[in-house]
Amino acid sequence: MTLTMTMTAGLSLLLLFSGSSEATNLRSLQQPLTPQPFSFDAAFGDNMVLQHGQGGAGSRAAIYGFLGPQCQSVQVDLYAATPDSQHISFSTSAAINVTQQPFPEDDIIATEEWGERPCTDLGCPGGVMSGSFHASDRRSFNPWNTRLPTWKVWLPPQPAGGNFTIVATCTTQETVNGTSMPEPISLVNVTFGDVWYCSGQSNMQLSMNYSFHKYDTAMSILHGKYSNIRIMAGESINRVYGLDRNGGWNYAKYGSQDGSNPWMTAQQSVDGNNMDDSPLMLFGATCWWFAQSLVDMGITDTPIGLVNTAIGGKRIQEFTSNSTIGQCHNRTRAGMGNQEDNVWFEGNLYAQQVMPFVDMTVKGWLWYQGENNMYEVKGNSKHDVGYGCELKALIQSWRQAWSETSDTTPPDAPFGIVTLANSGGEGGPDMGSMLHAQTLNYGALPPPLVDPVDQDFFGGLEKVFAAQAYDLEDEWKANNGPCFEYKCCTVTALVGQYRDEIYDPAKCTNETMHGLCNSPEGACSQAHRVPYLMGNIHPRSKQPVGERLAKAAYNLVYGGDGAVTGPTLQGCSLLGNRDDRLEIRFNSTLMKGDRLGEPIVTPKTNRPPRFYPAGGSQLFVQIDPSLFCMESHIFSTGGFQNVRDSTFVCPTWAGGSEKRSLQAIDQPYDQGWIEVPFALKPGTSNTIELDLSGLPERAIPTAVKYAWGMVDCCDWSDPDMFVTKSCIANCPIYAAESKLPANPFMAKIVNGQCECVSPQFCTDNYNEDEDAGVH
């Protein structure tokens, strides 16, 4: 049988089977269908990590599985291994049918609540195929089209570490055709530590194979480093309850040694004789770099377990139950009028990728997604609109599902978010609004300042953190740099996906560039060592993304005392006799003793094939208050598609008045921005001054923004840039020691002071006669 991988936009992978007799009638795989046997659930396997409960957390790890057709009760024993023997450290009887299995009595409700079922791609019982994706489909959640009986136990809180064997024994059974009692089942080499669940779309799915520094990590592992990290190896797109490698049902083997995503130690995941085909190279890079960075920061005594269920080309709505996502309005751009657009994909992956793990106790979650929502409403979490609301709903629903049983996953467990790089915009509008929505519209996470009237809304976000990635594009620009633009690559291995970029002497006329591109440190050689996937849309610079996530988690969750986020807007003031200076203050409390770094300002360029200018201060002011809008909408009397009669409106949740513009077609909002220079204010550690002398005479700023929208801080005027020089994390405002970039912001200036759109709060009542610090 041949397995062909077809790539579509957003890294959505379709598995197409072709060949001889194996591909004839795949529906016959279920005829006859063997009952699901007595087993552990799909999340479990040898070498796995279970959540520990030390340090006052009191978290109880859960173990669960399927009863099978005969078993009626289960005994579970936890054996602690010593160098010489094993002894039972805990023994208990299992509870029956208490797992959150996606199969309620009402099949229609199940479809509407949890979306697409695992039994889809190759046919389902009852002859229902997967040609339609609508919620009205009565497709089964499993091959047997019935609720499966399950068992579950909770272990007492365990300290981190150790080597355990878990044995589950069927203790009573119903005799079925004279069959014997099922054999006991076991998990070996199990340890306790912190379990992190990673998910999202293609940039979380993107494997180590497409990440810089992957060989350094592999070699470190071979030399014994990172031995406390364990992963569910394999591609994250694999269905948790789905098909095995031979095309048969592999319903509960996902994490087992013969499953698609077996649990492995770091050392088991690397083949020193064939690194490129090692299981580690299939695992999501961002998820891995997060754990590796935690170890590098000193988390060496606590095992770290990683689960990754990301699937490319998916929207946030697909990972959330329909009853939860329904609280959000304007979920798609097609629903920006008075009618809500309830589309087929909402809740589509909740049963498939999320529910198999909600009974597993975890430390927290990591989320990297947004590309496929770029053409939809970014919105505002406080007003239950768009992506901002959808992200808040996802966090709330996951926390609720995982913490349903007390003393397991805490209801306020940590949740980490990665914001998009420019390439993640995929040409969609309002990148600045998307990055803002990815902070739940607070401008930074955890929320730095909260208006007293929003205290209730703020609740539960103290352990939500974000890693900004707007300045973490591919550090060699993938196939968008000069070496590929002028087709100067002659590295022999650049074939296949590079076939359109290989050497063309008619375009590569600069022999010096040709030589530099193919030098050992040139862009062509970098691409030879670490291939890119689908161009610049999936930056290979995933290590700094993981490092920023880990830095936030270390300081927020693991007892560190450094900054969780970069410089964050505190407030601003117009100063001077003629309002010719604008002072911007950053939250010194959040900076944890750090200071602003010396500004990095590269020359302003607009080099083809760029669609937006690069370099400059990235700081802009507006001088007409009627133009301010964080995200405008098209208002059409004839429907969304009838743009001839369309005008624009700025909603109140985006800082507008809901008043329709007089112009049709041409965008009337978010215009008139003027870039201005800035410098650090002498004698301060958290303040900059903007020079407004270049504004038109008598013009007074009415708004200010930084790094808002499509941002490129690289120096394209340097002829060696992306030829022999890489560029990453190079934007003007950042923290000197942590190197974390400033959070993007947009704020009105009212009565000489900054005023942010709620729920972000940036009014600090600054007095020029007082010290320039934070008040």
Side-chain angles (χ1 to χ4, degrees):
M1 180 171 62
T2 303
L3 179 62
T4 304
M5 302 184 74
T6 302
M7 203 69 62
T8 60
L11 195 60
S12 180
L13 301 180
L14 306 177
L15 302 184
L16 306 176
F17 290 85
S18 62
S20 55
S21 59
E22 293 96 337
T24 53
N25 186 1
L26 292 170
R27 192 178 301 174
S28 64
L29 288 171
Q30 295 123 29
Q31 306 293 334
L33 190 63
T34 303
Q36 172 62 30
F38 175 55
S39 64
F40 293 101
D41 207 325
F44 296 87
D46 297 341
N47 312 306
M48 75 176 301
V49 178
L50 292 173
Q51 182 61 38
H52 76 86
Q54 69 184 29
S59 296
R60 300 181 295 161
I63 304 169
Y64 49 96
F66 297 103
L67 278 172
Q70 303 154 245
C71 195
Q72 293 180 319
S73 62
V74 177
Q75 178 80 19
V76 175
D77 299 313
L78 177 67
Y79 290 84
T82 65
D84 301 320
S85 63
Q86 287 189 337
H87 64 276
I88 294 179
S89 62
F90 179 73
S91 182
T92 189
S93 297
I96 303 301
N97 293 332
V98 295
T99 60
Q100 300 183 64
Q101 187 180 168
F103 207 106
E105 297 301 328
D106 189 330
D107 190 48
I108 291 295
I109 292 177
T111 307
E112 294 174 348
E113 177 68 9
W114 291 309
E116 184 178 351
R117 293 112 184 271
C119 178
T120 54
D121 282 349
L122 300 180
C124 299
V128 181
M129 295 296 287
S130 61
S132 173
F133 296 98
H134 295 285
S136 60
D137 271 354
R138 293 179 61 88
R139 288 172 289 170
S140 174
F141 271 98
N142 61 48
W144 301 274
N145 197 26
T146 186
R147 178 189 292 274
L148 300 180
T150 61
W151 58 269
K152 182 177 181 179
V153 300
W154 294 269
L155 302 177
Q158 301 291 316
N163 186 342
F164 295 85
T165 296
I166 298 170
V167 179
T169 304
C170 178
T171 53
T172 61
Q173 70 163 344
E174 177 184 357
T175 302
V176 179
N177 299 327
T179 54
S180 60
M181 186 85 75
E183 292 292 326
I185 55 178
S186 62
L187 302 172
V188 300
N189 194 29
V190 175
T191 192
F192 289 85
D194 283 339
V195 180
W196 287 89
Y197 175 90
C198 306
S199 198
Q201 63 174 106
S202 56
N203 272 298
M204 183 62 91
Q205 176 190 335
L206 192 75
S207 69
M208 287 288 287
N209 185 52
Y210 299 101
S211 180
F212 292 123
H213 313 297
K214 60 180 180 179
Y215 296 123
D216 295 336
T217 288
M219 289 302 299
S220 294
I221 291 173
L222 290 176
H223 286 91
K225 199 171 182 182
Y226 308 119
S227 59
N228 62 322
I229 302 177
R230 304 186 183 194
I231 62 175
M232 292 194 84
E235 294 182 288
S236 63
I237 61 169
N238 294 328
R239 290 179 182 271
V240 179
Y241 298 139
L243 300 168
D244 62 24
R245 297 187 181 102
N246 297 317
W249 283 107
N250 187 10
Y251 198 68
K253 292 185 177 181
Y254 180 79
S256 64
Q257 293 307 294
D258 57 349
S260 62
N261 293 61
W263 279 96
M264 291 184 177
T265 66
Q267 278 64 36
Q268 290 170 333
S269 72
V270 176
D271 182 352
N273 296 317
N274 188 2
M275 287 188 183
D276 287 329
D277 291 331
S278 294
L280 174 67
M281 297 304 171
L282 295 177
F283 192 74
T286 297
C287 193
W288 170 268
W289 289 120
F290 167 78
Q292 175 174 319
S293 299
L294 282 178
V295 175
D296 291 339
M297 293 175 189
I299 307 299
T300 56
D301 295 332
T302 301
I304 300 173
L306 301 175
V307 178
N308 187 15
T309 66
I311 299 182
K314 303 300 180 182
R315 303 167 178 86
I316 190 172
Q317 300 96 313
E318 300 184 61
F319 292 88
T320 312
S321 65
N322 283 342
S323 61
T324 302
I325 202 68
Q327 68 183 271
C328 301
H329 309 295
N330 300 124
R331 297 189 294 276
T332 66
R333 186 159 288 274
M336 288 194 304
N338 294 325
Q339 296 183 355
E340 197 63 63
D341 186 16
N342 296 308
V343 292
W344 62 265
F345 56 74
E346 292 184 344
N348 198 42
L349 294 174
Y350 189 71
Q352 172 185 318
Q353 300 298 92
V354 180
M355 286 205 74
F357 297 95
V358 297
D359 284 283
M360 172 185 279
T361 306
V362 298
K363 181 70 171 182
W365 306 269
L366 301 176
W367 178 254
Y368 192 174
Q369 189 276 339
E371 299 92 333
N372 271 52
N373 290 94
M374 275 300 300
Y375 284 89
E376 298 174 0
V377 180
K378 314 317 183 291
N380 186 301
S381 63
K382 181 181 177 180
H383 294 265
D384 293 334
V385 175
Y387 192 93
C389 176
E390 291 160 1
L391 181 55
K392 182 186 176 187
L394 180 125
I395 295 170
Q396 291 174 331
S397 66
W398 283 15
R399 281 175 161 177
Q400 180 178 1
W402 259 274
S403 64
E404 184 176 82
T405 301
S406 61
D407 299 325
T408 56
T409 302
D412 62 345
F415 197 107
I417 300 162
V418 182
T419 68
L420 294 180
N422 281 345
S423 57
E426 299 190 7
D430 303 313
M431 174 58 84
S433 298
M434 172 55 86
L435 299 187
H436 192 56
Q438 290 181 310
T439 67
L440 302 176
N441 305 99
Y442 283 103
L445 290 171
L449 286 173
V450 180
D451 193 314
V453 300
D454 290 329
Q455 284 294 336
D456 292 339
F457 176 77
F458 168 80
L461 299 182
E462 295 91 341
K463 292 184 181 178
V464 180
F465 57 94
Q468 289 287 356
Y470 68 86
D471 62 336
L472 297 181
E473 285 286 356
D474 190 289
E475 58 200 82
W476 285 95
K477 278 292 182 283
N479 63 339
N480 290 329
C483 295
F484 292 96
E485 180 185 347
Y486 295 106
K487 296 192 175 183
C488 286
C489 289
T490 55
V491 178
T492 304
L494 293 184
V495 295
Q497 70 179 100
Y498 297 96
R499 59 184 175 273
D500 295 329
E501 286 91 23
I502 58 177
Y503 181 62
D504 181 351
K507 294 199 69 175
C508 185
T509 58
N510 187 324
E511 286 301 318
T512 300
M513 175 184 286
H514 176 232
L516 292 172
C517 287
N518 294 280
S519 66
E521 298 305 318
C524 300
S525 299
Q526 297 291 341
H528 170 46
R529 287 191 288 269
V530 181
Y532 64 81
L533 186 63
M534 299 175 65
N536 212 36
I537 187 175
H538 301 118
R540 293 168 291 178
S541 307
K542 289 294 185 281
Q543 184 174 16
V545 176
E547 287 174 345
R548 288 181 181 178
L549 276 174
K551 189 172 295 185
Y554 182 79
N555 291 317
L556 186 67
V557 180
Y558 287 98
D561 58 4
V564 174
T565 188
T568 301
L569 178 66
Q570 171 87 15
C572 73
S573 303
L574 282 172
L575 304 175
N577 296 330
R578 293 178 295 175
D579 291 332
D580 58 356
R581 290 182 293 125
L582 177 64
E583 181 176 287
I584 294 179
R585 297 172 292 282
F586 295 92
N587 192 312
S588 60
T589 302
L590 294 182
M591 294 177 72
K592 300 287 187 179
D594 204 345
R595 66 191 189 284
L596 295 176
E598 192 65 31
I600 304 172
V601 180
T602 56
K604 196 80 171 180
T605 57
N606 195 15
R607 177 188 178 279
R610 309 206 53 71
F611 298 103
Y612 49 90
S617 70
Q618 300 295 334
L619 273 163
F620 297 81
V621 295
Q622 214 171 32
I623 57 176
D624 182 347
S626 69
L627 297 178
F628 182 90
C629 190
M630 300 184 80
E631 181 185 2
S632 61
H633 283 182
I634 295 176
F635 182 92
S636 175
T637 57
F640 177 71
Q641 299 298 327
N642 188 10
V643 295
R644 288 181 178 274
D645 300 323
S646 297
T647 56
F648 285 83
V649 61
C650 186
T652 53
W653 53 258
S657 62
E658 300 282 357
K659 181 179 179 181
R660 290 170 56 185
S661 64
L662 298 178
Q663 305 107 310
I665 306 301
D666 293 331
Q667 167 65 278
Y669 296 112
D670 198 27
Q671 302 294 309
W673 290 101
I674 303 170
E675 188 167 11
V676 293
F678 76 98
L680 299 180
K681 183 175 182 178
T684 68
S685 62
N686 69 322
T687 307
I688 62 174
E689 288 186 331
L690 279 62
D691 181 0
L692 306 179
S693 61
L695 298 184
E697 187 177 358
R698 297 183 181 180
I700 298 177
T702 57
V704 60
K705 69 177 182 178
Y706 171 74
W708 190 272
M710 304 300 285
V711 175
D712 188 334
C713 301
C714 297
D715 184 3
W716 285 84
S717 68
D718 185 343
D720 293 328
M721 185 58 62
F722 307 120
V723 176
T724 57
K725 286 183 181 178
S726 62
C727 175
I728 197 170
N730 201 56
C731 285
I733 305 176
Y734 62 99
E737 295 180 11
S738 72
K739 306 301 181 185
L740 293 173
N743 289 294
F745 61 82
M746 178 189 284
K748 297 179 181 180
I749 302 175
V750 180
N751 297 324
Q753 302 285 322
C754 267
E755 182 180 288
C756 286
V757 175
S758 182
Q760 186 175 5
F761 187 72
C762 62
T763 302
D764 61 357
N765 298 318
Y766 173 75
N767 187 324
E768 185 178 8
D769 295 329
E770 298 178 7
D771 180 70
V774 176
H775 302 274

